[in-house]
Amino acid sequence: MIRFSVITITYNAEKVLQRTLDSVRNQTYEGVEHLIVDGASKDQTLSLTEQYKQQSDASDNGHKVIIQSEPDHGIYDAMNKGLTQASGDYVIYLNAGDFFPNANTLEDIVHQCRLNEYPADERPGVLYGNTNIVDGEGRFLHPRRLQPPEKLTWKSFRNGMLVCHQAFYARTDIAKNTQYDTRYRFSADVDWCIRVMRESERMGLELCNTKMVVANYTEEGATTQNHQASLKERFDVMRRHYGLFTTLVMHAWFVVRSHR
């Protein structure tokens, strides 16, 4: 059975965490490992996660819940901690407030990408799909503005982060060897996705378009709150991967596009 490692990063997240926990618990797919990496929260976050683990352990849904709580050096340091522990075939980052669209999401992804038909070393390097944006209460707002291309490659991100981090499921063996660059405070996820795709191409692996919504993303995140700093970091990420000239041209296009 294909196994998924869902990694949830938390810090004082009691107001939004429950819908994330419920979403993972309600997945009909049995091959789920849920790693909750907490930054030593001071609110009721840990109480919620402990209760969730007890409920999961007492159920017969086949899920495994692991909780780690300690101070970290930022969200990407926490993501690396989760990645180090992940034992599934694919890793998914579903942070506090984010959630799966329905109870069959993981089941449907396995079917859509025919994952059980591949030899282990030939499985797609990335599974990706669409994202819906929700508000702080988890209510649907709109589809994400940037949409995944029919055929994704590492060069696709020259046009922006076309696949949301939460809708980008990376093969765990590749992801573990491509950890987040913690020099970036807001855009290490963009850099990580590009590097995972580049490594997948080097290995001759396909990237599977699920052609479905695979994540609901809460718009109130650190990147949204620090938009200017995030843009500067993204420029640096793109410059490193695609070169200065291409990056300048594409950013000029982003400006034009945003004013249309």
Side-chain angles (χ1 to χ4, degrees):
M1 172 185 282
I2 302 296
R3 291 191 58 80
F4 293 97
S5 290
V6 181
I7 300 175
T8 298
I9 309 302
T10 62
Y11 181 70
N12 293 343
E14 63 179 7
K15 293 182 180 179
V16 298
L17 180 59
Q18 192 61 55
R19 63 174 176 262
T20 306
L21 302 180
D22 291 343
S23 169
V24 180
R25 180 177 57 231
N26 292 335
Q27 287 299 299
T28 57
Y29 194 73
E30 292 187 357
V32 176
E33 171 187 70
H34 194 184
L35 297 156
I36 301 169
V37 184
D38 180 72
S41 290
K42 298 176 176 61
D43 63 358
Q44 295 301 307
T45 295
L46 283 176
S47 295
L48 291 174
T49 59
E50 291 292 349
Q51 182 180 20
Y52 164 68
K53 177 174 169 53
Q54 292 173 9
Q55 292 171 343
S56 181
D57 290 347
S59 73
D60 59 355
N61 63 2
H63 296 187
K64 179 181 181 182
V65 177
I66 300 171
I67 302 169
Q68 174 183 350
S69 181
E70 63 184 22
D72 55 52
H73 299 291
I75 189 169
Y76 297 119
D77 177 46
M79 287 180 176
N80 281 337
K81 288 181 180 181
L83 187 54
T84 299
Q85 296 183 69
S87 65
D89 298 291
Y90 287 90
V91 61
I92 307 159
Y93 284 92
L94 202 67
N95 290 334
D98 305 329
F99 54 101
F100 292 115
N102 57 62
N104 300 319
T105 299
L106 294 179
E107 197 95 47
D108 292 342
I109 288 172
V110 171
H111 175 73
Q112 285 289 101
C113 290
R114 310 186 319 278
L115 295 181
N116 290 317
E117 298 178 19
Y118 288 89
D121 61 345
E122 296 179 14
R123 290 173 187 145
V126 175
L127 319 173
Y128 67 98
N130 296 70
T131 306
N132 283 335
I133 306 300
V134 300
D135 66 13
E137 301 298 321
R139 295 173 298 219
F140 172 81
L141 293 175
H142 53 80
R144 187 170 183 261
R145 182 177 62 84
L146 293 179
Q147 296 289 307
E150 178 69 24
K151 185 174 176 57
L152 182 70
T153 74
W154 70 270
K155 295 180 181 179
S156 300
F157 275 30
R158 289 180 299 186
N159 298 304
M161 194 174 186
L162 300 183
V163 179
C164 181
H165 189 215
Q166 282 76 356
F168 186 96
Y169 297 10
R171 217 172 81 171
T172 305
D173 58 340
I174 299 173
K176 280 178 176 286
N177 292 322
T178 315
Q179 296 212 344
Y180 292 85
D181 187 340
T182 55
R183 292 176 298 175
Y184 294 115
R185 292 183 60 208
F186 308 113
S187 299
D189 53 345
V190 184
D191 173 67
W192 179 78
C193 288
I194 294 171
R195 288 189 289 121
V196 167
M197 290 187 287
R198 291 187 78 160
E199 180 61 14
S200 297
E201 180 179 285
R202 188 193 69 78
M203 295 172 66
L205 302 174
E206 65 178 277
L207 311 181
C208 179
N209 186 352
T210 65
K211 300 182 179 180
M212 54 185 271
V213 176
V214 298
N216 288 333
Y217 172 70
T218 302
E219 67 173 354
E220 299 171 347
T223 301
T224 303
Q225 296 168 10
N226 299 277
H227 188 60
Q228 287 299 113
S230 172
L231 289 177
K232 290 179 180 178
E233 283 195 357
R234 287 196 182 200
F235 184 91
D236 185 61
V237 168
M238 291 183 66
R239 178 189 59 78
R240 287 176 55 206
H241 287 289
Y242 305 122
L244 180 59
F245 178 75
T246 297
T247 301
L248 287 170
V249 170
M250 294 310 302
H251 273 71
W253 165 240
F254 296 159
V255 172
V256 172
R257 182 175 67 186
S258 67
H259 286 85
R260 284 187 167 183

